[in-house]
């Protein structure tokens, strides 16, 4: 079973980016294979501070690290704040990148998207997010960039998008992530 951690870079409940993981969960449920999707909030961890890290972080940090360590992959959707990912997402990644060399992000397959009410769909935040993920040891899956913007309809009452013009583009990184996980499984079987 592939376990995928779904992350919204926004802390706002009704955010476009919060609707993306909810939608991806439904996409995964409809695709063949055995997948489990869990969400991770970036709102919980305190601001990163080395002294707190030496004291083993906080309960929120430990829970986030356990969740990511026990997963096969991540799917992140981020807004763009002044052309960058939000500080709360960067803070969560800073915590997850620790300790250096033994980070739960090391080798973790990751797909990413962005969403924004602006016409560019938050695309400006993606290159920096890719860079940070790389520095954290994560492996960003190659796929066409997905930036949902402009005319993004509000999510339905269940918190997900149903418009095919939104769902369709989200299927691409979801399938790319599952394909990469499948390749990893095949390589592991060959080595055994």
């Amino acid at each position: 079973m592939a376990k995928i951690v779904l992350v919204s870079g926004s802390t706002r409940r009704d955010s476009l980016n919060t609707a993306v993981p909810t939608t991806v969960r439904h996409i995964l449920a409809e695709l063949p294979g055995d997948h489990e999707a869990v969400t991770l909030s970036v709102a919980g961890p305190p601001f990163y501070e080395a002294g707190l890290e030496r004291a083993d972080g906080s309960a929120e940090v430990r829970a986030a690290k356990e969740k990511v360590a026990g997963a096969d992959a991540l799917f992140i959707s981020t807004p763009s704040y002044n052309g960058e990912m939000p500080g709360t997402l960067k803070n969560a990644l800073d915590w997850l990148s620790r300790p250096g060399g033994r980070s739960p992000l090391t080798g973790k397959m990751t797909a990413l998207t962005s969403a924004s009410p602006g016409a560019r769909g938050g695309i400006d935040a993606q290159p920096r997010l890719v860079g940070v993920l790389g520095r954290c040891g994560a492996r960003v899956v190659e796929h066409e960039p997905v930036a949902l913007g402009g005319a993004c309809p509000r999510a339905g009452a269940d918190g997900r998008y149903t418009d095919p013009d939104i769902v369709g583009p989200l299927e691409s990184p979801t399938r790319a992530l599952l394909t990469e996980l499948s390749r990893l499984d095949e390589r592991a079987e060959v080595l055994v």
Side-chain angles (χ1 to χ4, degrees):
M1 174 185 293
K3 185 173 183 178
I4 301 168
V5 175
L6 306 172
V7 181
S8 168
S10 176
T11 57
R12 194 165 52 84
R13 184 176 181 268
D14 296 327
S15 161
L16 302 172
N17 287 283
T18 302
V20 169
T22 304
T23 304
V24 169
R25 179 187 302 276
H26 286 271
I27 291 170
L28 286 165
E30 294 173 5
L31 292 174
D34 197 11
H35 332 292
E36 178 187 359
V38 297
T39 57
L40 175 66
S41 172
V42 297
F47 288 121
Y48 176 79
E49 194 264 308
L52 184 56
E53 179 193 352
R54 283 191 292 278
D56 199 25
S58 66
E60 293 88 354
V61 169
R62 289 189 298 276
K65 286 183 175 185
E66 284 178 27
K67 191 176 279 192
V68 172
D72 300 295
L74 299 172
F75 190 107
I76 301 173
S77 183
T78 186
S80 174
Y81 293 171
N82 297 314
E84 301 283 340
M85 75 186 99
T88 51
L89 176 56
K90 174 68 166 61
N91 183 60
L93 293 173
D94 287 343
W95 275 112
L96 291 169
S97 72
R98 312 300 297 164
R102 296 189 325 270
S103 161
L105 290 172
T106 302
K108 206 65 66 180
M109 289 298 206
T110 307
L112 59 97
T113 62
S114 59
S116 167
R120 296 179 49 80
I123 192 80
D124 298 342
Q126 290 189 28
R128 186 70 64 129
L129 178 54
V130 168
V132 168
L133 287 166
R135 286 182 192 89
C136 292
R139 297 177 56 197
V140 179
V141 174
E142 290 187 34
H143 58 79
E144 287 294 318
V146 176
L148 307 173
C152 283
R154 290 187 65 90
D158 63 353
R160 70 177 167 130
Y161 295 117
T162 56
D163 182 334
D165 290 335
I166 301 295
V167 175
L170 291 175
E171 287 179 356
S172 174
T174 305
R175 289 179 185 273
L177 187 61
L178 293 177
T179 297
E180 285 302 313
L181 289 175
S182 170
R183 288 182 182 148
L184 284 177
D185 286 346
E186 289 171 6
R187 285 185 207 127
E189 288 176 11
V190 167
L191 294 175
V192 174

